[in-house]
Coordinates of all heavy atoms in Angstrom, one line a residue:
M24 N 103.6 69.7 72.2 CA 104.3 70.5 71.2 C 103.8 70.3 69.8 O 103.7 71.2 69.0 CB 105.8 70.1 71.3 CG 106.6 71.0 70.4 SD 106.5 72.7 70.8 CE 108.1 73.2 70.9
A25 N 103.3 69.1 69.5 CA 102.8 68.8 68.2 C 101.6 69.6 67.9 O 101.4 70.1 66.7 CB 102.4 67.3 68.0
W26 N 100.8 69.9 68.9 CA 99.6 70.8 68.7 C 100.0 72.2 68.3 O 99.3 72.8 67.5 CB 98.6 70.7 69.9 CG 98.0 69.4 70.0 CD1 98.3 68.3 70.8 CD2 96.9 68.9 69.2 NE1 97.5 67.3 70.6 CE2 96.6 67.6 69.6 CE3 96.2 69.4 68.1 CZ2 95.6 66.8 69.0 CZ3 95.2 68.7 67.5 CH2 94.9 67.4 68.0
M27 N 101.0 72.7 69.0 CA 101.5 74.1 68.7 C 102.0 74.1 67.3 O 101.8 75.1 66.6 CB 102.5 74.5 69.7 CG 102.0 74.6 71.1 SD 100.6 75.6 71.3 CE 101.3 77.2 71.1
I28 N 102.7 73.1 66.9 CA 103.3 73.0 65.5 C 102.1 73.0 64.5 O 102.1 73.7 63.5 CB 104.2 71.8 65.3 CG1 105.5 72.0 66.2 CG2 104.6 71.6 63.9 CD1 106.4 70.8 66.3
L29 N 101.1 72.2 64.8 CA 99.9 72.1 63.9 C 99.2 73.5 63.8 O 98.8 73.9 62.7 CB 98.9 71.1 64.4 CG 97.7 70.9 63.6 CD1 98.0 70.5 62.1 CD2 96.8 69.8 64.2
I30 N 99.1 74.2 64.9 CA 98.4 75.5 64.9 C 99.3 76.5 64.0 O 98.8 77.2 63.2 CB 98.2 76.1 66.3 CG1 97.1 75.3 67.0 CG2 97.9 77.6 66.3 CD1 97.0 75.5 68.5
A31 N 100.6 76.4 64.2 CA 101.5 77.2 63.4 C 101.4 76.9 61.9 O 101.4 77.8 61.0 CB 103.0 77.1 63.9
A32 N 101.2 75.6 61.6 CA 101.0 75.2 60.2 C 99.8 75.8 59.6 O 99.7 76.3 58.5 CB 101.0 73.7 60.1
G33 N 98.7 75.8 60.4 CA 97.4 76.4 60.0 C 97.6 77.9 59.8 O 97.0 78.4 58.8
L34 N 98.3 78.6 60.7 CA 98.5 80.0 60.5 C 99.3 80.3 59.3 O 99.1 81.3 58.6 CB 99.1 80.6 61.8 CG 98.2 80.5 63.0 CD1 99.0 81.0 64.2 CD2 97.0 81.3 62.8
C35 N 100.3 79.5 59.0 CA 101.1 79.6 57.8 C 100.2 79.5 56.5 O 100.4 80.1 55.5 CB 102.3 78.7 57.7 SG 103.6 79.1 58.8
E36 N 99.2 78.6 56.6 CA 98.3 78.4 55.5 C 97.5 79.7 55.3 O 97.3 80.1 54.1 CB 97.4 77.2 55.9 CG 96.4 76.8 54.8 CD 97.1 76.0 53.7 OE1 98.3 75.7 53.9 OE2 96.5 75.7 52.7
V37 N 97.1 80.3 56.4 CA 96.3 81.6 56.2 C 97.2 82.6 55.6 O 96.8 83.4 54.7 CB 95.8 82.0 57.6 CG1 95.2 83.4 57.5 CG2 94.8 81.0 58.2
I38 N 98.5 82.7 56.0 CA 99.5 83.6 55.5 C 99.7 83.4 54.0 O 99.7 84.3 53.2 CB 100.8 83.6 56.2 CG1 100.6 84.1 57.7 CG2 101.9 84.4 55.5 CD1 101.7 83.8 58.6
M39 N 99.8 82.1 53.6 CA 99.9 81.7 52.2 C 98.8 82.2 51.4 O 99.0 82.9 50.3 CB 100.0 80.2 52.1 CG 100.2 79.8 50.6 SD 99.8 78.1 50.3 CE 98.0 78.1 50.4
V40 N 97.6 82.0 51.8 CA 96.4 82.4 51.1 C 96.3 84.0 51.0 O 95.9 84.5 49.9 CB 95.1 81.8 51.7 CG1 93.9 82.4 51.0 CG2 95.1 80.3 51.5
T41 N 96.7 84.6 52.0 CA 96.6 86.1 52.1 C 97.6 86.6 51.0 O 97.2 87.5 50.2 CB 97.0 86.6 53.5 OG1 96.1 86.1 54.4 CG2 96.9 88.1 53.5
F42 N 98.8 86.1 51.0 CA 99.8 86.6 50.0 C 99.4 86.1 48.6 O 99.7 86.8 47.6 CB 101.2 86.2 50.4 CG 101.8 87.1 51.4 CD1 102.0 86.6 52.7 CD2 102.1 88.4 51.2 CE1 102.6 87.4 53.7 CE2 102.6 89.3 52.1 CZ 102.8 88.8 53.4
M43 N 98.7 85.0 48.5 CA 98.2 84.6 47.2 C 97.3 85.6 46.6 O 97.3 86.0 45.5 CB 97.5 83.2 47.3 CG 97.1 82.6 46.0 SD 96.2 81.1 46.2 CE 97.4 80.0 47.0
K44 N 96.4 86.1 47.5 CA 95.5 87.2 47.1 C 96.2 88.5 46.7 O 95.9 89.1 45.7 CB 94.5 87.5 48.2 CG 93.6 88.7 48.1 CD 92.5 88.4 47.1 CE 91.5 89.6 47.1 NZ 90.5 89.5 46.1
L45 N 97.2 88.8 47.5 CA 98.0 90.0 47.2 C 98.9 89.9 46.0 O 99.3 90.9 45.5 CB 98.8 90.4 48.5 CG 98.0 90.8 49.7 CD1 99.0 91.0 50.9 CD2 97.2 92.1 49.5
S46 N 99.2 88.7 45.6 CA 100.1 88.5 44.4 C 99.4 88.8 43.1 O 100.1 88.8 42.1 CB 100.6 87.0 44.4 OG 99.6 86.2 44.0
D47 N 98.1 89.0 43.1 CA 97.4 89.3 41.9 C 97.6 88.3 40.8 O 98.0 88.5 39.7 CB 97.8 90.7 41.3 CG 96.9 91.2 40.2 OD1 95.7 90.9 40.2 OD2 97.4 92.0 39.4
G48 N 97.2 87.0 41.2 CA 97.4 85.9 40.3 C 98.8 85.5 40.0 O 99.2 85.1 38.9
Y49 N 99.6 85.7 41.0 CA 101.1 85.4 41.0 C 101.8 86.3 39.9 O 102.8 85.9 39.3 CB 101.4 84.0 40.7 CG 101.1 83.1 42.0 CD1 100.0 82.2 42.0 CD2 101.8 83.3 43.1 CE1 99.7 81.5 43.1 CE2 101.5 82.6 44.3 CZ 100.5 81.7 44.3 OH 100.2 81.0 45.4
K50 N 101.3 87.5 39.7 CA 101.9 88.5 38.8 C 102.9 89.4 39.6 O 103.8 90.0 39.0 CB 100.9 89.3 38.1 CG 100.0 88.5 37.2 CD 98.9 89.4 36.6 CE 97.8 88.6 36.0 NZ 96.6 89.3 35.9
K51 N 102.7 89.5 40.9 CA 103.6 90.4 41.7 C 104.6 89.5 42.4 O 104.3 88.5 43.1 CB 102.8 91.2 42.7 CG 101.8 92.1 42.1 CD 101.0 92.9 43.1 CE 100.1 93.9 42.4 NZ 99.2 94.5 43.4
F52 N 105.9 89.8 42.2 CA 107.0 88.9 42.6 C 107.0 88.7 44.2 O 107.0 87.6 44.6 CB 108.3 89.5 42.1 CG 109.5 88.6 42.5 CD1 109.7 87.4 41.9 CD2 110.4 89.0 43.5 CE1 110.8 86.6 42.2 CE2 111.4 88.2 43.8 CZ 111.7 87.0 43.2
V53 N 107.1 89.8 44.9 CA 107.3 89.6 46.4 C 106.1 88.9 47.1 O 106.4 87.9 47.8 CB 107.6 91.0 47.1 CG1 107.6 90.8 48.6 CG2 108.9 91.6 46.6
P54 N 104.9 89.3 46.8 CA 103.8 88.5 47.4 C 103.8 87.0 47.0 O 103.4 86.1 47.7 CB 102.5 89.2 47.0 CG 103.0 90.6 46.7 CD 104.4 90.5 46.2
S55 N 104.2 86.8 45.7 CA 104.3 85.4 45.2 C 105.3 84.6 45.9 O 105.0 83.5 46.4 CB 104.6 85.4 43.7 OG 103.6 86.1 43.0
I56 N 106.5 85.1 46.2 CA 107.5 84.4 46.9 C 107.1 84.2 48.3 O 107.3 83.1 48.9 CB 108.8 85.2 46.9 CG1 109.4 85.3 45.4 CG2 109.9 84.7 47.8 CD1 109.7 84.0 44.8
L57 N 106.4 85.2 48.9 CA 106.0 85.0 50.3 C 104.9 84.0 50.4 O 104.8 83.2 51.3 CB 105.5 86.3 50.9 CG 106.6 87.4 51.1 CD1 106.0 88.7 51.5 CD2 107.6 86.9 52.1
S58 N 104.0 83.9 49.4 CA 103.0 82.9 49.3 C 103.5 81.5 49.2 O 103.2 80.6 50.0 CB 102.0 83.2 48.2 OG 101.0 82.2 48.1
F59 N 104.5 81.3 48.3 CA 105.1 80.0 48.1 C 105.9 79.6 49.4 O 105.8 78.4 49.8 CB 106.1 80.0 46.9 CG 105.4 79.9 45.6 CD1 105.6 80.9 44.6 CD2 104.5 78.9 45.3 CE1 104.9 80.8 43.4 CE2 103.8 78.8 44.1 CZ 104.0 79.8 43.1
S60 N 106.6 80.5 50.0 CA 107.4 80.3 51.2 C 106.5 79.9 52.4 O 106.7 78.9 53.1 CB 108.2 81.5 51.6 OG 109.1 81.8 50.6
A61 N 105.4 80.6 52.6 CA 104.5 80.3 53.7 C 103.8 78.9 53.4 O 103.6 78.1 54.3 CB 103.4 81.4 53.8
G62 N 103.5 78.6 52.2 CA 102.9 77.3 51.8 C 103.8 76.2 52.1 O 103.4 75.2 52.7
A63 N 105.1 76.4 51.7 CA 106.1 75.3 52.0 C 106.3 75.1 53.5 O 106.3 74.0 53.9 CB 107.4 75.7 51.3
L64 N 106.4 76.2 54.2 CA 106.5 76.1 55.7 C 105.3 75.4 56.3 O 105.4 74.6 57.2 CB 106.8 77.5 56.3 CG 107.0 77.5 57.8 CD1 108.2 76.7 58.2 CD2 107.2 79.0 58.3
S65 N 104.1 75.8 55.8 CA 102.9 75.2 56.3 C 102.9 73.6 56.1 O 102.6 72.9 57.0 CB 101.7 75.8 55.6 OG 100.5 75.2 56.0
F66 N 103.3 73.2 54.9 CA 103.3 71.8 54.7 C 104.4 71.1 55.5 O 104.2 70.0 56.0 CB 103.6 71.5 53.2 CG 102.4 71.5 52.3 CD1 102.2 72.6 51.4 CD2 101.4 70.5 52.4 CE1 101.1 72.6 50.6 CE2 100.3 70.6 51.6 CZ 100.1 71.6 50.7
Y67 N 105.5 71.7 55.7 CA 106.6 71.2 56.5 C 106.1 71.0 58.0 O 106.3 69.9 58.6 CB 107.8 72.0 56.4 CG 108.9 71.5 57.4 CD1 109.6 70.3 57.1 CD2 109.3 72.3 58.5 CE1 110.6 69.9 58.0 CE2 110.3 71.8 59.3 CZ 110.9 70.6 59.1 OH 111.9 70.2 59.9
L68 N 105.5 72.1 58.5 CA 105.0 72.0 59.9 C 103.9 71.0 60.0 O 103.9 70.3 61.0 CB 104.6 73.4 60.3 CG 105.7 74.5 60.5 CD1 105.1 75.8 60.8 CD2 106.7 74.1 61.5
L69 N 103.1 70.9 59.0 CA 102.0 69.9 59.1 C 102.6 68.5 59.2 O 102.2 67.6 60.0 CB 101.1 70.0 57.9 CG 100.0 68.9 57.7 CD1 99.0 68.9 58.9 CD2 99.3 69.0 56.4
S70 N 103.6 68.3 58.3 CA 104.3 66.9 58.3 C 104.9 66.6 59.7 O 104.9 65.5 60.1 CB 105.3 66.8 57.2 OG 106.4 67.6 57.5
L71 N 105.5 67.6 60.3 CA 106.1 67.4 61.7 C 105.0 67.1 62.7 O 105.2 66.1 63.5 CB 106.8 68.6 62.1 CG 108.1 69.0 61.4 CD1 108.8 70.2 62.0 CD2 109.1 67.8 61.5
S72 N 103.9 67.8 62.6 CA 102.8 67.5 63.6 C 102.2 66.2 63.4 O 101.8 65.5 64.4 CB 101.8 68.6 63.5 OG 101.0 68.5 62.4
L73 N 102.2 65.7 62.2 CA 101.5 64.4 61.9 C 102.4 63.2 62.4 O 101.9 62.1 62.4 CB 101.2 64.2 60.4 CG 100.2 65.2 59.9 CD1 99.9 64.9 58.4 CD2 98.9 65.1 60.7
L74 N 103.6 63.5 62.9 CA 104.4 62.4 63.5 C 103.8 62.0 64.8 O 104.0 60.9 65.3 CB 105.8 62.9 63.7 CG 106.6 63.2 62.4 CD1 108.0 63.8 62.8 CD2 106.8 61.9 61.6
H75 N 103.0 62.9 65.4 CA 102.4 62.7 66.8 C 100.9 62.8 66.8 O 100.3 62.4 67.9 CB 103.0 63.6 67.8 CG 104.5 63.6 67.8 ND1 105.2 62.5 68.4 CD2 105.5 64.4 67.3 CE1 106.5 62.7 68.2 NE2 106.7 63.8 67.5
I76 N 100.3 63.3 65.8 CA 98.8 63.4 65.8 C 98.3 62.6 64.6 O 98.9 62.5 63.6 CB 98.5 64.9 65.5 CG1 99.0 65.8 66.7 CG2 97.0 65.1 65.4 CD1 98.9 67.3 66.4
P77 N 97.1 61.9 64.8 CA 96.6 61.1 63.8 C 96.3 62.0 62.5 O 95.9 63.2 62.6 CB 95.2 60.6 64.3 CG 95.4 60.7 65.8 CD 96.3 61.8 66.1
V78 N 96.5 61.4 61.3 CA 96.4 62.2 60.1 C 95.0 62.8 59.9 O 94.9 63.9 59.5 CB 96.9 61.4 58.9 CG1 96.0 60.3 58.6 CG2 97.1 62.3 57.7
S79 N 94.0 62.0 60.2 CA 92.6 62.5 60.1 C 92.4 63.7 60.9 O 91.7 64.7 60.5 CB 91.6 61.4 60.4 OG 91.8 60.9 61.7
T80 N 92.8 63.7 62.1 CA 92.6 64.8 63.0 C 93.5 66.0 62.6 O 93.0 67.1 62.5 CB 93.0 64.4 64.5 OG1 92.1 63.3 64.8 CG2 92.7 65.6 65.4
G81 N 94.8 65.7 62.4 CA 95.7 66.8 62.0 C 95.3 67.5 60.7 O 95.3 68.8 60.7
Y82 N 95.0 66.8 59.7 CA 94.6 67.4 58.5 C 93.3 68.1 58.6 O 93.2 69.2 58.0 CB 94.5 66.3 57.4 CG 94.2 66.9 56.0 CD1 95.2 67.6 55.3 CD2 93.0 66.8 55.4 CE1 95.0 68.1 54.1 CE2 92.7 67.4 54.2 CZ 93.7 68.0 53.5 OH 93.5 68.6 52.3
G83 N 92.3 67.6 59.3 CA 91.1 68.3 59.5 C 91.3 69.6 60.2 O 90.7 70.6 59.8
I84 N 92.1 69.6 61.2 CA 92.3 70.9 62.0 C 93.1 71.8 61.1 O 92.8 73.0 61.1 CB 93.0 70.5 63.3 CG1 92.0 69.8 64.2 CG2 93.6 71.8 63.9 CD1 92.7 69.3 65.5
W85 N 94.1 71.4 60.4 CA 94.9 72.2 59.5 C 94.0 72.9 58.5 O 94.1 74.1 58.3 CB 96.0 71.4 58.9 CG 96.9 72.1 57.9 CD1 97.9 73.0 58.2 CD2 97.0 71.9 56.5 NE1 98.5 73.4 57.1 CE2 98.0 72.7 56.0 CE3 96.3 71.0 55.7 CZ2 98.3 72.7 54.7 CZ3 96.6 71.1 54.3 CH2 97.6 71.9 53.8
T86 N 93.2 72.2 57.8 CA 92.3 72.7 56.8 C 91.3 73.7 57.4 O 90.9 74.7 56.8 CB 91.6 71.7 55.9 OG1 90.9 70.8 56.8 CG2 92.6 70.9 55.1
G87 N 90.8 73.3 58.6 CA 89.9 74.2 59.3 C 90.4 75.5 59.6 O 89.8 76.6 59.4
I88 N 91.7 75.5 60.2 CA 92.3 76.8 60.5 C 92.5 77.6 59.3 O 92.3 78.8 59.2 CB 93.7 76.5 61.2 CG1 93.4 75.9 62.6 CG2 94.5 77.8 61.4 CD1 94.7 75.4 63.3
G89 N 93.0 76.9 58.2 CA 93.2 77.6 56.9 C 91.9 78.2 56.4 O 91.9 79.4 55.9
S90 N 90.9 77.4 56.4 CA 89.6 77.9 55.8 C 89.0 79.1 56.7 O 88.6 80.1 56.1 CB 88.6 76.8 55.8 OG 89.0 75.7 55.0
A91 N 88.9 78.8 57.9 CA 88.3 79.9 58.8 C 89.2 81.1 58.8 O 88.7 82.2 58.7 CB 88.2 79.4 60.2
G92 N 90.5 80.9 58.8 CA 91.4 82.1 58.8 C 91.3 82.9 57.5 O 91.3 84.1 57.5
A93 N 91.2 82.2 56.4 CA 91.1 82.9 55.1 C 89.8 83.7 55.0 O 89.8 84.8 54.5 CB 91.2 81.8 54.0
V94 N 88.7 83.1 55.5 CA 87.5 83.8 55.4 C 87.5 85.1 56.3 O 87.1 86.2 55.9 CB 86.3 82.9 55.8 CG1 85.0 83.7 56.0 CG2 86.1 81.8 54.8
L95 N 88.1 84.9 57.5 CA 88.2 86.1 58.5 C 89.1 87.1 57.9 O 88.8 88.3 58.0 CB 88.7 85.6 59.8 CG 87.7 84.7 60.6 CD1 88.3 84.2 61.9 CD2 86.4 85.5 60.9
I96 N 90.2 86.8 57.3 CA 91.1 87.7 56.7 C 90.4 88.4 55.5 O 90.5 89.7 55.4 CB 92.4 87.1 56.2 CG1 93.3 86.6 57.4 CG2 93.2 88.0 55.3 CD1 93.8 87.7 58.3
G97 N 89.7 87.7 54.7 CA 88.9 88.3 53.6 C 87.9 89.3 54.1 O 87.8 90.4 53.5
M98 N 87.2 89.0 55.2 CA 86.2 89.9 55.7 C 86.9 91.1 56.3 O 86.4 92.3 56.2 CB 85.3 89.2 56.7 CG 84.4 88.2 56.1 SD 83.1 87.6 57.2 CE 84.0 86.8 58.5
L99 N 88.0 90.9 57.0 CA 88.6 92.1 57.8 C 89.4 93.0 56.8 O 89.4 94.2 57.0 CB 89.5 91.5 58.9 CG 88.8 90.8 60.0 CD1 89.8 90.2 61.0 CD2 88.0 91.8 60.8
F100 N 90.2 92.4 55.9 CA 91.1 93.2 55.1 C 90.8 93.4 53.6 O 91.3 94.3 53.0 CB 92.5 92.6 55.2 CG 93.0 92.6 56.6 CD1 93.1 91.4 57.4 CD2 93.5 93.8 57.2 CE1 93.6 91.5 58.7 CE2 93.9 93.8 58.5 CZ 94.0 92.6 59.2
F101 N 89.9 92.5 53.1 CA 89.6 92.6 51.7 C 88.2 92.9 51.4 O 87.7 92.7 50.3 CB 90.0 91.2 51.0 CG 91.5 91.0 51.0 CD1 91.9 89.9 51.7 CD2 92.4 91.8 50.4 CE1 93.3 89.6 51.8 CE2 93.8 91.5 50.5 CZ 94.2 90.4 51.2
K102 N 87.5 93.4 52.4 CA 86.1 93.9 52.3 C 85.2 92.9 51.7 O 84.2 93.2 51.0 CB 86.1 95.2 51.5 CG 86.9 96.3 52.1 CD 86.8 97.6 51.3 CE 87.6 98.8 51.8 NZ 88.4 98.8 52.9
E103 N 85.4 91.6 52.1 CA 84.4 90.6 51.7 C 83.2 90.7 52.6 O 83.3 91.2 53.7 CB 85.1 89.2 51.7 CG 86.2 89.1 50.7 CD 86.9 87.7 50.8 OE1 86.5 86.8 51.6 OE2 87.9 87.5 50.0
E104 N 82.1 90.1 52.1 CA 80.8 90.3 52.8 C 80.8 89.7 54.2 O 81.3 88.6 54.4 CB 79.8 89.6 51.9 CG 78.4 89.7 52.4 CD 77.3 89.0 51.5 OE1 77.7 88.5 50.5 OE2 76.2 89.1 51.9
K105 N 80.3 90.4 55.1 CA 80.1 90.0 56.5 C 78.6 89.9 56.7 O 77.9 90.9 56.9 CB 80.7 91.0 57.5 CG 82.1 91.2 57.3 CD 82.5 92.4 58.3 CE 83.9 92.9 57.8 NZ 84.2 94.2 58.3
N106 N 78.1 88.7 56.7 CA 76.7 88.5 57.0 C 76.5 87.4 58.1 O 77.4 86.6 58.3 CB 75.8 88.2 55.8 CG 76.2 87.0 55.1 OD1 76.4 85.9 55.7 ND2 76.3 87.0 53.8
P107 N 75.4 87.4 58.8 CA 75.2 86.4 59.9 C 75.4 85.0 59.5 O 76.0 84.2 60.2 CB 73.8 86.7 60.3 CG 73.5 88.1 59.9 CD 74.2 88.3 58.7
S108 N 75.0 84.6 58.3 CA 75.1 83.2 57.9 C 76.6 82.8 57.7 O 77.0 81.7 58.1 CB 74.3 82.8 56.7 OG 74.5 83.7 55.7
R109 N 77.4 83.7 57.1 CA 78.8 83.4 57.0 C 79.5 83.3 58.3 O 80.3 82.4 58.5 CB 79.5 84.6 56.2 CG 79.4 84.5 54.7 CD 80.2 85.6 54.1 NE 81.6 85.1 54.0 CZ 82.4 85.3 53.0 NH1 82.0 86.0 52.0 NH2 83.7 84.9 53.1
L110 N 79.2 84.2 59.2 CA 79.8 84.2 60.6 C 79.3 82.9 61.3 O 80.1 82.3 62.0 CB 79.4 85.4 61.4 CG 79.9 86.7 60.8 CD1 79.3 87.9 61.5 CD2 81.4 86.7 60.8
F111 N 78.1 82.5 61.1 CA 77.6 81.3 61.7 C 78.4 80.0 61.2 O 78.8 79.2 62.0 CB 76.1 81.1 61.4 CG 75.5 79.7 61.8 CD1 75.3 79.5 63.2 CD2 75.3 78.8 60.9 CE1 74.8 78.2 63.6 CE2 74.8 77.5 61.3 CZ 74.5 77.3 62.6
F112 N 78.6 79.9 59.9 CA 79.3 78.8 59.4 C 80.8 78.8 59.7 O 81.4 77.7 59.9 CB 79.0 78.6 57.9 CG 77.6 78.2 57.6 CD1 76.7 79.0 56.9 CD2 77.2 77.0 58.0 CE1 75.4 78.6 56.7 CE2 75.9 76.5 57.8 CZ 75.0 77.4 57.1
I113 N 81.4 80.0 59.8 CA 82.8 80.0 60.3 C 82.8 79.6 61.7 O 83.7 78.9 62.1 CB 83.3 81.5 60.1 CG1 83.5 81.8 58.7 CG2 84.6 81.6 60.9 CD1 84.4 80.9 57.9
G114 N 81.8 80.0 62.5 CA 81.7 79.5 63.9 C 81.6 78.0 64.0 O 82.2 77.4 64.8
L115 N 80.9 77.4 63.0 CA 80.8 75.9 63.0 C 82.2 75.3 62.7 O 82.5 74.2 63.3 CB 79.8 75.5 62.0 CG 78.3 75.7 62.3 CD1 77.4 75.2 61.2 CD2 77.9 74.9 63.6
I116 N 82.9 75.9 61.8 CA 84.2 75.4 61.5 C 85.1 75.4 62.7 O 85.8 74.4 63.1 CB 84.9 76.1 60.3 CG1 84.2 75.8 59.0 CG2 86.4 75.7 60.2 CD1 84.6 76.6 57.8
I117 N 85.1 76.6 63.4 CA 85.9 76.7 64.6 C 85.5 75.7 65.7 O 86.3 75.1 66.4 CB 85.9 78.2 65.1 CG1 86.6 79.1 64.1 CG2 86.5 78.3 66.5 CD1 86.4 80.6 64.3
F118 N 84.2 75.6 65.9 CA 83.6 74.6 66.8 C 84.1 73.2 66.5 O 84.4 72.4 67.3 CB 82.1 74.7 66.8 CG 81.4 73.8 67.8 CD1 81.5 74.1 69.2 CD2 80.7 72.7 67.4 CE1 80.9 73.3 70.1 CE2 80.1 71.9 68.3 CZ 80.2 72.2 69.7
S119 N 84.1 72.9 65.2 CA 84.5 71.6 64.7 C 86.0 71.3 65.0 O 86.4 70.2 65.4 CB 84.2 71.4 63.2 OG 82.9 71.5 63.0
I120 N 86.8 72.4 64.8 CA 88.2 72.3 65.1 C 88.4 71.9 66.6 O 89.2 71.1 67.0 CB 89.0 73.6 64.7 CG1 89.0 73.7 63.2 CG2 90.4 73.6 65.3 CD1 89.5 75.1 62.8
I121 N 87.7 72.7 67.4 CA 87.8 72.4 68.9 C 87.4 71.0 69.2 O 88.0 70.3 70.0 CB 87.0 73.5 69.7 CG1 87.6 74.9 69.5 CG2 86.9 73.1 71.1 CD1 86.8 76.0 69.9
G122 N 86.3 70.6 68.6 CA 85.8 69.2 68.8 C 86.8 68.2 68.4 O 87.0 67.2 69.1
L123 N 87.4 68.3 67.2 CA 88.5 67.4 66.8 C 89.6 67.3 67.8 O 90.2 66.3 68.1 CB 89.0 67.7 65.4 CG 88.1 67.3 64.3 CD1 88.6 67.9 63.0 CD2 88.0 65.8 64.1
K124 N 90.0 68.5 68.3 CA 91.1 68.5 69.3 C 90.8 67.8 70.6 O 91.6 67.1 71.1 CB 91.5 70.0 69.6 CG 92.3 70.3 70.8 CD 93.7 69.7 70.7 CE 94.6 70.2 71.8 NZ 94.7 69.3 72.9
T125 N 89.5 68.0 71.0 CA 89.2 67.4 72.3 C 89.0 65.9 72.2 O 89.2 65.2 73.2 CB 87.9 68.0 72.9 OG1 86.8 67.8 71.9 CG2 88.1 69.5 73.2
V126 N 88.7 65.3 71.0 CA 88.5 63.9 71.0 C 89.8 63.1 70.6 O 89.8 61.9 70.6 CB 87.4 63.5 69.9 CG1 86.0 64.0 70.4 CG2 87.7 63.9 68.5
S127 N 90.8 63.9 70.4 CA 92.1 63.2 70.0 C 93.0 63.1 71.2 O 93.0 63.7 72.2 CB 92.9 64.1 69.0 OG 92.2 64.1 67.8

């Protein structure tokens, strides 16, 4: 169950960053509130997962999900550049997340 909570925390991190982008520098009220709420939920879920997962592994996976997810959202919805080297390095992050999970 701790791993599912950690994945949910990472997804909340992606949601937070997405609404951060949509908030236009926190000038728009609703996306700003959604960004802060998703961020708070992300930290809370991370703290719950770290009760059962080593902090080094949990934090690494959480930041990896957030980083990879933010880049993918940027490419899919915000027309950010999609080139082979970006996709390769996102693949490395995802591969590293899987590696951290398997050694824990």
Side-chain angles (χ1 to χ4, degrees):
M24 186 57 132
W26 289 103
M27 297 305 291
I28 293 171
L29 181 60
I30 291 169
L34 294 175
C35 286
E36 187 77 4
V37 174
I38 292 167
M39 179 200 72
V40 172
T41 303
F42 281 112
M43 185 185 296
K44 171 76 172 171
L45 294 173
S46 75
D47 191 31
Y49 289 112
K50 295 176 195 159
K51 295 180 181 175
F52 181 73
V53 173
S55 297
I56 295 299
L57 293 172
S58 177
F59 285 124
S60 299
L64 182 58
S65 179
F66 277 109
Y67 175 69
L68 292 174
L69 175 63
S70 72
L71 290 180
S72 71
L73 294 180
L74 295 172
H75 304 284
I76 298 171
V78 69
S79 57
T80 302
Y82 184 73
I84 290 173
W85 178 71
T86 58
I88 292 170
S90 298
V94 171
L95 292 173
I96 292 294
M98 288 191 301
L99 292 173
F100 296 105
F101 298 115
K102 299 184 184 356
E103 294 178 5
E104 186 178 357
K105 300 173 198 163
N106 62 45
S108 51
R109 277 185 82 141
L110 296 172
F111 172 75
F112 288 114
I113 291 302
L115 286 179
I116 291 172
I117 293 168
F118 183 72
S119 297
I120 291 168
I121 293 167
L123 282 173
K124 164 67 170 96
T125 58
V126 296
S127 292

